[in-house]
Amino acid sequence: MSETQERVALVTGGSRGIGRAVAELLAVRGHHVAVNYVSNQDAAEEVVAAIEGVGGIATAVQADVGDEAAVAGLVENVESTLGPVAVLINNAGITRDDLILRMKPDAWDQVIATNLRSVYLCSKAVMRGMLRARWGRIVSLSSVAGVYGNAGQANYSAAKAGIIGLTKALSKEVGSRGITVNAVAPGFIATDMTAALGEAAADAVVDKITLGRLGSPQEVAAAVGYLASDDASYITGQTIVVDGGLTL
Amino acid sequence: MDRSEIEAKLVDLLVDELGLERDDITMEAKFEEDLDVDSLGVVELLMALEDNFDVKIPDEEAEKITTVGEAAELVSQKLNG
Ligand SMILES: NC(=O)c1ccc[n+]([C@@H]2O[C@H](COP(=O)([O-])OP(=O)(O)OC[C@H]3O[C@@H](n4cnc5c(N)ncnc54)[C@H](OP(=O)(O)O)[C@@H]3O)[C@@H](O)[C@H]2O)c1
């Protein structure tokens, strides 16, 4: 992996947290990275500046990945500025937690759109380029919530489980063309998403984590980066759990 | 471009892009049944048609194509109206 490779990578939700760590890792590898965000332009520009600061190439692109027209525009924009997408990281995600008894349809729909519909839309939009190249890597961020289910996260767990099914199905559709499709299911990672839950919640979870601490975005990015590399050429349709032993 | 030129170029594409045997290709041949092209292969063929003939083929029309002749006919319609 010492050689640098000028592939084009699109990281959805690359402005913060895990997405940012993945964008930075792929840029170091020599990829030209499109850093997608939805509202936090400053954060996205900061990621681009950090990448350029170490000699990498990146560009920030705004788009709501749950929206069909926005995704079409996003991929067109990236293809015209950087080239066809060879590596797609479906990372953008949100939570709108509630007990199902209190969950509004809006909270259900938004979480499904941003976490799951987005994976369908983005994978579809980059597929022609990958088929032409007869090479491609798609890695999507699932969650242990999608594997085991979390109380209070029926919407999020459904979306993240959906990603695992989509990953398996799509891997079979395009496997014969040199395209692999995989997922990574993180446990409890220190980002804005989990900071929102508060310290008490984090402490309670840490007790259950075999390694005794939260994970870092970089530790998730390492698994994502591996699946997105040439080294992972014989792995497809899989979901790698990166949770420090939380779900053992 | 007349029909025979379109057909000749289409056959070249089938040989070059999908790796088919030139001798197997007739206008009546069905992609999936006779030529062993899977459904993704048909999608790839349509992409190749769009790139090489500089036409746009909407998904609804692409879905109806089952034979080589139908593909030639569609391209001919797109090029010559
Ligand atoms: N943190 C964890 O413990 C954990 C555990 C399991 C799975 N995951 C999954 O890992 C992924 C990243 O999580 P994270 O903790 O890094 O999240 P985060 O810190 O909250 O960052 C979320 C990112 O997604 C972007 N985003 C949100 N909605 C979007 C939309 N509609 N369109 C485009 N981008 C959108 C945000 O952009 P803006 O900056 O513009 O808002 C931001 O870049 C998510 O899919 C999450 O579900 C996280």
Side-chain angles (χ1 to χ4, degrees), chain A residues 13 15-16 18 38-40 64-65 91 156 160 187 189 191 194:
Chain A
S15 49
R16 291 185 283 126
I18 295 167
V38 62
S39 54
N40 222 319
D64 174 352
V65 290
N91 165 83
Y156 184 77
K160 295 301 186 182
I189 311 303
T191 67
T194 46

Side-chain angles (χ1 to χ4, degrees), chain A residues 124 127-129 131-132 134 173-177, chain B residues 17 38 40-41 43-44 47 50-51 56-57 59:
Chain A
K124 182 177 176 185
M127 194 49 71
R128 283 176 168 243
L131 284 174
R132 280 200 181 92
R134 298 204 161 245
E173 281 186 25
V174 298
S176 61
R177 305 306 197 269
Chain B
E17 303 278 333
D38 63 9
L40 189 57
V43 175
E44 288 178 313
M47 282 164 46
E50 290 188 339
D51 292 349
K56 188 99 197 75
I57 302 173
D59 287 343

Side-chain angles (χ1 to χ4, degrees), chain A residues 11-21 35-41 43-44 61-67 74 90-95 110 113-115 118 140-145 156 160 163 184-195 197 214-215 217 220 242:
Chain A
V11 182
T12 70
S15 49
R16 291 185 283 126
I18 295 167
R20 174 179 181 149
V35 178
N36 159 255
Y37 65 99
V38 62
S39 54
N40 222 319
Q41 187 178 355
V61 201
Q62 194 281 335
D64 174 352
V65 290
D67 182 89
L74 165 69
N90 290 307
N91 165 83
I94 56 166
T95 50
Q110 267 194 23
T114 306
N115 294 272
S118 61
S140 305
L141 273 293
S142 176
S143 165
V144 292
Y156 184 77
K160 295 301 186 182
I163 287 178
V184 168
F188 215 108
I189 311 303
T191 67
D192 294 343
M193 184 178 273
T194 46
L197 299 174
L214 303 191
V220 179
V242 180

Side-chain angles (χ1 to χ4, degrees), chain A residues 138-224:
Chain A
I138 297 178
V139 185
S140 305
L141 273 293
S142 176
S143 165
V144 292
V147 183
Y148 297 95
N150 272 352
Q153 293 194 312
N155 50 359
Y156 184 77
S157 302
K160 295 301 186 182
I163 287 178
I164 296 173
L166 189 163
T167 295
K168 291 178 185 174
L170 183 56
S171 71
K172 291 183 180 179
E173 281 186 25
V174 298
S176 61
R177 305 306 197 269
I179 302 165
T180 68
V181 189
N182 290 288
V184 168
F188 215 108
I189 311 303
T191 67
D192 294 343
M193 184 178 273
T194 46
L197 299 174
E199 226 165 274
D203 288 345
V205 186
V206 167
D207 283 343
K208 300 193 191 120
I209 301 176
T210 306
L211 295 180
R213 60 176 177 83
L214 303 191
S216 71
Q218 287 73 22
E219 288 173 309
V220 179
V224 174

Side-chain angles (χ1 to χ4, degrees), chain A residues 59-122:
Chain A
T59 178
V61 201
Q62 194 281 335
D64 174 352
V65 290
D67 182 89
E68 185 181 3
V71 169
L74 165 69
V75 172
E76 263 169 44
N77 183 336
V78 174
E79 288 187 339
S80 64
T81 52
L82 299 177
V85 176
V87 176
L88 169 66
I89 311 298
N90 290 307
N91 165 83
I94 56 166
T95 50
R96 292 271 306 268
D97 298 350
D98 217 332
L99 295 174
I100 207 160
L101 284 166
R102 284 197 303 243
M103 188 179 289
K104 301 275 194 298
D106 181 51
W108 173 270
D109 291 341
Q110 267 194 23
V111 165
I112 299 293
T114 306
N115 294 272
L116 181 59
R117 189 171 198 262
S118 61
V119 179
Y120 146 69
L121 289 174
C122 293

